[in-house]
Structures are given as structure tokens and as C-alpha cells.
Amino acid sequence: MLSNMLDDLTIKSLTSLVCHITSSRKLNDYLAKKLDNLLYNEVVIKNVTTRPHRIQMEKYLTARNILNSGIKILNDDRVGRAARKGVIENLIIQSIIKSLRLRNVKLTTYEKPFPTFLTISPTKHCNLNCKGCYANSTVKDSDTLDYDVFVRVMKEKTSAWSSHFTVISGGEPLTYRSRGKDIIDLYQEFDDNYFLMFTNATLIDKEMAKRLAEVGNCTPAVSVEGFEELTDRRRGKGTYRKIIQAMENMLDAGVPFGLSLTATRHNYEEILSDEFMDFFINKMEIKYIWIFQYMPIGRRFTLDLMVTPQQRLWMYEREQELLNKRDIFFADFWNSGPLSDGCIAGGRFGGYLHLLWNGDVTPCVFIPYKLHNIYDVYKSGGNLDTILNSPLFKAIREWQIDYSFMKNSGEMGNQIMPCIIRDHHKEFMEIVRKTGAQPIDELARAALEDDEYHQGLIEFDKEFAKLTEPIWEQCYLRSFMKEEKAG
């Protein structure tokens, strides 16, 4: 998201300011104001990417909220030295600032794909059995990524992409075991990376919280569905109370953490309510929020849990309100499309790809189709570039460029609906057929063969386009045209 915003001089200034961040609250607050002004001038005023003002304002507000979240972590006396080092050195300097100069060069030449990060789901095993789980994970599942392959992938993506940010998903990552190692061992081994770990948190007892605090380079994003009734309804009775206890354990240990919310047509209002935000931001002291709209893939895939087009529009409008009035980082994987310049699947600049527990590699966490398996790629002498240059990944990146990414501002497609599989399902299915992509499991195969399912998604896209095209045209593109004329 911050890629393409800043030039070399700004990167040097940011690095200098960040390196002076200390445990002094007054100095941190002073430096935060300096950074805030620098971000506003570069992103909104200077706007070297010449993107519409509305997009740049959203990017600035989000960057400001990331900054505020980081300062809250550093001003928290319970956060230990390792966690401070992780936030300052690994996340801010390594993952964001130092990568920007190289990314700017790569983006200018556009020689080959250059992803920002990698999402790895190292195990399918999970201690819960949530309704509609996109990964179809259960207690019975034992598929696990071999630790040596895990390490090889981490080394490769860090050196080849200058990527020091890694997302860990699942299954439940804290159940991962391979060659006598667990997921915390991996965090410790790759102490130059910062890890965002999506977890149900029920296994974070005091000892696990202490281990997370000691490694310092991982922030857990805890999954909830709302308050107790809605969370327990989907995740099992008693889960909510275990989550609250886990949060208290992390607070005591000084581990910064956030929320991962799955919006359905039943809980979308609750998870975006002021009551919900106040409780988790103020009382549980979360530092960020990720919002994922329910995707009809995985176990018992159904369109009936998806938010309706009208509900999604309400979410978009509510999230715009929260972006302005809340000083905490949050993003909706779909509605926040303008922040990332559209779809980030397929290993594009600023984007990512997804490695599963059995070695399958997909363009996105929510795309259950693949052409390659990492074990086979390595056996044949290939590497991650082999996957990035596959027909499936290339076709997705070509669609991204044709639709919106890197287009001139007046020609960009509607980034309020950026997702290729969810918002442009018809085009996505054409890519699947053209490239011969294969389902990763029987559930994905069943979805592939379900005409009613595909037609339902296509109709959803048409309806949501009707609702959002006027917003995109008037609030984003027309405002840009007025700016150009005024200039």
C-alpha cells in the first residue's frame, strides 16, 4: 500500500526519524507529528503517482493510522525490548522503508513480478471446527508443510524479493509441528522478518504469550465474529471467553495484537458498531483490524452467508466513516481496494501469493485453484519465479493491468470492487478454463462444477457494480478530472 508513494529523499527522512523513536512518550509523539506531516505532503500534496485525490487521502489516512498504531505499541510500558525491536527494525524499517527504494526501481522497469509478501498456511490442522471455514480445517486434518521446505521458501522470498514481511494463516498456526519445530521456532530463526499471524488465539496461554513476547517479531491477528453470542455460534461454545483470556495474557506479556473479522450477512453491523470498536480498541487495546468478507469457498460453501450487495455498500460507507474518525489501522480486504491500487493476487507489485500446507501454491488465499506445487517445483530445479511466471499467475496480472492496476487515473476500473474471484467472477472463470488451473480439493472441484453457484456470484457482481459505479465515477474519477483542469 505504501509502495509508489515515496521518493528516495522521503525514504531517507523517514528512516532517520524512525531510528530516533525511543521509549520516551514525548519524543515519540513529537516524531509522530513529523512523520504525519511528511506522509501528508508526499502522499496527498506531492502525489508523484498522480492518483485521484480521494484515493491519496484514503492512503494517507490509512498510513497515519498505521503510524498511530505503531506509536501506541511503543508507548505501552508493557511492550518489551524484543517487541519494540520487531516493530521498529523489522516492520517499519525493513518491511516498509528499506524495501521502497528497490520496489520503486522494479516498478519503473517492470522487468518481472515483485511481490511484497508471501502468505503461508503451514498446517491444515485446527483445534476448532468453525462453520464455513474457507480452509476447511478440522482437528482430524494433519497435512503439514515440511519445516525444511518452509525454511527454504522463507530464505528465497526474503532474498529474491527483499521481502521482510510474512503472513501466517492456517488451519491454526499454533498447532504446527514439523521435525521437532513449531511456528515460534520459525519466527526465531527468521528474526529479520515481521510476521502477521492469523489465529483463533485459544492456544495462547500465559506460556505461549511469553514466547511470543520473547521473539518480538510476530503480531497475532485474533479471529472473532462479534461479541460472545455470534463468536460462539460460529466457532463453538466457550470460544469467546478463551479469546478474551488470550488477549489478557498477551496484554500482560506485552505482545501487540489485533483483530481479524469475517463479515457475514448476520454480523456485519455488529463488528462495525461503535460499541464493538470501543470495547476492543479501548478495553482490549487491540492495535489494528483486518476485515474479511465471507467468501463462498471451503467447507459448506454457500452464497447465503455472503453480505448482500446492499449490505456491502453499507459496510463501505461505514468504513469510510471509521477511517476518518478512528486513529487505528483497519482495512477491508475488498472494500479497501483503492488503498492497494486494486487486486493484489498473483504476485503483482505490492501483492502476494499463497503457499498451502501440502505445497500447493495459489494466487490468493481465497482462490482455491493452482497449477504448481512447491515440492514438485523444487524437485525439478525451479523456484518461486517458476510459479510467478506460470500461465495462471500471468493471466491474473494481465487482467489486473487491463482492469485497473498501473492505469492512468482517468482509465482505472472501479477499485471499490477489486477482487477477481469475488467481484469479477465471470472473468475469473474464463482464466481458470484458459489456463487449466486445477482445484486444490474436492470442495473447490464441487464449486467449479456448480453452475448455480457461478451464476449467483455473477449476479452479485452486476448488482454491486450498479451500486458502486456512480460512487467511483463521481467521488474518485470526476474529482481527478476537476483537479487536472484546475491544474
Side-chain angles (χ1 to χ4, degrees), residues 336-360:
S336 298
L339 296 179
S340 57
D341 297 315
C343 172
I344 60 174
R348 52 147 265 208
F349 288 103
Y352 81 112
L353 56 155
H354 179 217
L355 173 64
L356 284 85
W357 43 78
N358 63 355
D360 286 344

Side-chain angles (χ1 to χ4, degrees), residues 32-61:
K33 289 180 181 179
K34 290 288 187 181
L35 284 167
D36 189 345
N37 290 335
L38 186 60
L39 285 169
Y40 182 81
N41 286 332
E42 291 296 325
V43 177
V44 180
I45 303 299
K46 192 172 181 181
N47 187 11
V48 295
T49 60
T50 65
R51 288 295 184 249
H53 177 78
R54 173 74 173 262
I55 288 179
Q56 294 306 105
M57 273 302 299
E58 290 179 18
K59 287 181 177 180
Y60 157 69
L61 290 170

Side-chain angles (χ1 to χ4, degrees), residues 123 144-145 173-183 208:
T123 181
T144 298
L145 187 68
L174 292 175
T175 68
Y176 174 77
R177 300 290 186 278
S178 175
R179 298 183 183 269
K181 304 283 189 178
D182 65 12
I183 198 67
M208 180 56 72

